Amino acid sequence: MRKYNLAVVGATGLVGREILKILVERDFPIKKIKVIASENSAGKKIEFKDQKLEVITATKGVFKEIDIALFSAGTEVAKKLAPQAKKEGAIVIDNSNAFRMDKKIPLVVPEVNAVDLKIHQKIIANPNCSTIQMVMLLKPLAQKYGLKRVVVNTYQAVSGAGKKAVDEMLEQTKAYLKEEKIENKHFKHQIAFNAIPQIDTFMDNDYTKEEMKMINETRKILAKPKLAITATCVRIPVIFGHGEVLNIELKSSYKIEALKSLIKKSPNIELIDDPLNYRYPLQTDTETNDNVLVGRVRRDNSLKNGINLWLTANNLRKGAALNAVQIAENLITNNLV
Amino acid sequence: MRKYNLAVVGATGLVGREILKILVERDFPIKKIKVIASENSAGKKIEFKDQKLEVITATKGVFKEIDIALFSAGTEVAKKLAPQAKKEGAIVIDNSNAFRMDKKIPLVVPEVNAVDLKIHQKIIANPNCSTIQMVMLLKPLAQKYGLKRVVVNTYQAVSGAGKKAVDEMLEQTKAYLKEEKIENKHFKHQIAFNAIPQIDTFMDNDYTKEEMKMINETRKILAKPKLAITATCVRIPVIFGHGEVLNIELKSSYKIEALKSLIKKSPNIELIDDPLNYRYPLQTDTETNDNVLVGRVRRDNSLKNGINLWLTANNLRKGAALNAVQIAENLITNNLV
């Protein structure tokens, strides 16, 4: 079996470290692996299987002989380094916002639109975390019933903002418990025991970038450029796992049991829906479960073909690192490397 | 000026204590006050202005000569004691779920439907906390534009479940930080650094009682028995202040600035909406602000006359104790005592 040369860019971040873990867990066919980060991290060692990999910076030629480069280093770094990597011969799978809405670049959740990978020109975009888990559910519903309109509200974990954000919440929490002063550096407001109705910066239409990502990326992934969808994104003091409440209006009528069966048999989705026994998905469940977890599925009687439901997934894994690795696996399986 | 004999039932709970604080803050015209609680608390002393009030139990005759009894002792106690209080001559303002949907009993938010107090027969119901803050906003919108449909998702504080729930979250938080085992007693699941998509118990239709309260109470308070409205209620690890995301479809078209002006001038509502300067309501703001705080107001382009917004209010004060005291004040002002 062929093995591949990989590079992980942004290897020391929360998502980068998760990518390395997942490559091991899934026994990815690796010949050689380079771990790349900023100068601050250069020279550090990262454990990987029985090796200690030295973190290097992205000098000229670093991507030569690399087959696949998994990027998770933010939009600015991606804009600078992805073209270099492509030129030096690597296929880039980028987790940032840099290329997602570029019409020539596939934006892929393998369970939903792996077919879009066929047209790749060496750069592939990994969608936003909160989008990935939502489209995993919307795709089967769209296929069977059609989507008339979607309203999504998020309950997003602090790890989505990186390690510094998690550290800040934990520091604030300790300060609160000791009745000491709470300091904000990463977040503009206290996040310990508080929610912040802003994720990413604001656009001219008073939506945040995160909200517009959910709207625009969903339309692109589902190939429904005019889908009626709106979003409100809120950060809550949870460490891992994004929660989402979806209110969906379907085009055709449905039976609730058939709809639940459809969810149950959809790939990498798990229905946890036994409310009388207090069984519904929790964000803490996603620490040890890579599926998109769906529950609280019930008819919305305020319109004709309405559904309410709650879903959650691990934002660092299915929402980022795992989806990227799945894309890489898919490229290999389909001879697209 | 006439002064009144009051009783506070459930005086040692979170809401009961808040009622006592608010009576002092608002200089309520009190002649005599009795503080009533269960046998467990009998004999305890509660500071009230320069007095130390002794907690008593609700023996026969305890409500004789009481003008107004403010109840915040749960549904079972209310069902038992409210009829007694009424019989003994008091007007009951009850914060539980016992009488809210009784057609003969007014369910009142003074800013919204004070007029309903006129028909009271000595028992008046205080609505659910998450309902109160929502109808404060829906009323002016309904009057000016008409409501076609409302979708609400909540981000509810742990204090809504009482003092034991808050203590449990804080204990769990400390345990998490020390990497010790997390124990659940009050909640069925971990609430520290987690969200729970269940508030109150489940009904046959797979909605929680909390969700159905928001639907049914809103219809009653706004006198719109067929209003299209749906709700999903989620508990998040915040101590004070319920957050809500509302997606509203209006009957008539609107201009965003006119709609914001309407919110701004509505009674006891404050518009905090300057996103570019990171200004929007936070649940922590409600610790020192009794208004319903509204922000993130923006057009929902997924339908014709849609709005998205975020609002928050103090669940123990405007959501419970303050609303009850306002009802009492309103009874006095309108000679209904």
Side-chain angles (χ1 to χ4, degrees), chain A residues 246-259:
Chain A
L246 265 66
N247 179 269
I248 305 167
E249 186 176 4
L250 298 173
K251 282 187 179 161
S252 65
S253 65
Y254 71 92
K255 289 220 163 56
I256 193 78
E257 286 311 320
L259 188 141

Side-chain angles (χ1 to χ4, degrees), chain A residues 1-8 23-24 27-35 48-51 53 64-68 70 332 337:
Chain A
M1 193 188 165
R2 191 179 151 193
K3 292 190 172 188
Y4 299 84
N5 290 333
L6 296 192
V8 176
L23 290 171
V24 177
D27 204 15
F28 197 96
I30 300 172
K31 198 190 303 172
K32 215 172 65 185
I33 184 164
K34 288 183 177 178
V35 287
F48 183 78
K49 291 185 184 172
D50 51 357
Q51 310 169 50
L53 305 175
K64 277 189 184 160
E65 296 176 15
I66 294 295
D67 298 299
I68 300 172
L70 295 150
I332 292 171
V337 189

Side-chain angles (χ1 to χ4, degrees), chain B residues 284-297:
Chain B
T284 44
D285 293 339
T286 70
E287 289 174 31
T288 53
N289 190 331
D290 281 340
N291 290 322
V292 173
L293 311 178
V294 181
R296 302 281 341 263
V297 181

Side-chain angles (χ1 to χ4, degrees), chain B residues 120-184:
Chain B
H120 86 78
Q121 295 169 40
K122 293 207 167 244
I123 297 180
I124 296 152
N126 206 36
N128 187 43
C129 44
S130 51
T131 308
I132 292 175
Q133 65 188 66
M134 177 169 65
V135 295
M136 289 276 287
L137 177 89
L138 290 181
K139 179 61 185 286
L141 296 180
Q143 277 186 316
K144 183 160 178 187
Y145 303 104
L147 298 176
K148 196 163 168 193
R149 181 168 171 255
V150 177
V151 180
V152 58
N153 292 290
T154 69
Y155 298 70
Q156 288 180 244
V158 171
S159 58
K163 191 175 177 315
K164 282 181 187 166
V166 174
D167 291 344
E168 178 159 313
M169 177 173 70
L170 296 176
E171 284 310 311
Q172 288 183 350
T173 304
K174 287 176 199 163
Y176 184 95
L177 293 172
K178 289 187 211 157
E179 297 180 40
E180 288 172 0
K181 195 175 175 301
I182 287 175
E183 288 183 42
N184 312 322

Side-chain angles (χ1 to χ4, degrees), chain B residues 19 53 77 141 172 182 184 191 225 234 246-247 274 283 304:
Chain B
I19 288 174
L53 305 175
V77 173
L141 296 180
Q172 288 183 350
I182 287 175
N184 312 322
I191 182 65
V234 180
L246 265 66
N247 178 269
D274 181 9
Q283 276 144 289
K304 201 163 161 240

Side-chain angles (χ1 to χ4, degrees), chain A residues 198-258:
Chain A
Q198 173 181 2
I199 296 179
D200 210 332
T201 53
F202 279 95
M203 324 250 315
D204 285 344
N205 64 359
D206 283 348
Y207 281 74
T208 58
K209 278 191 187 163
E210 183 83 359
E211 289 159 355
M212 293 314 296
K213 283 176 200 169
M214 291 194 79
I215 293 170
N216 294 326
E217 293 180 18
T218 298
R219 288 174 174 161
K220 179 170 175 176
I221 295 165
L222 297 179
K224 296 182 187 301
K226 293 189 170 173
L227 179 67
I229 172 169
T230 190
T232 301
C233 294
V234 180
R235 184 83 67 195
I236 66 167
V238 159
I239 302 174
F240 300 109
H242 287 344
E244 294 178 1
V245 170
L246 265 66
N247 179 269
I248 305 167
E249 186 176 4
L250 298 173
K251 282 187 179 161
S252 65
S253 65
Y254 71 92
K255 289 220 163 56
I256 193 78
E257 286 311 320

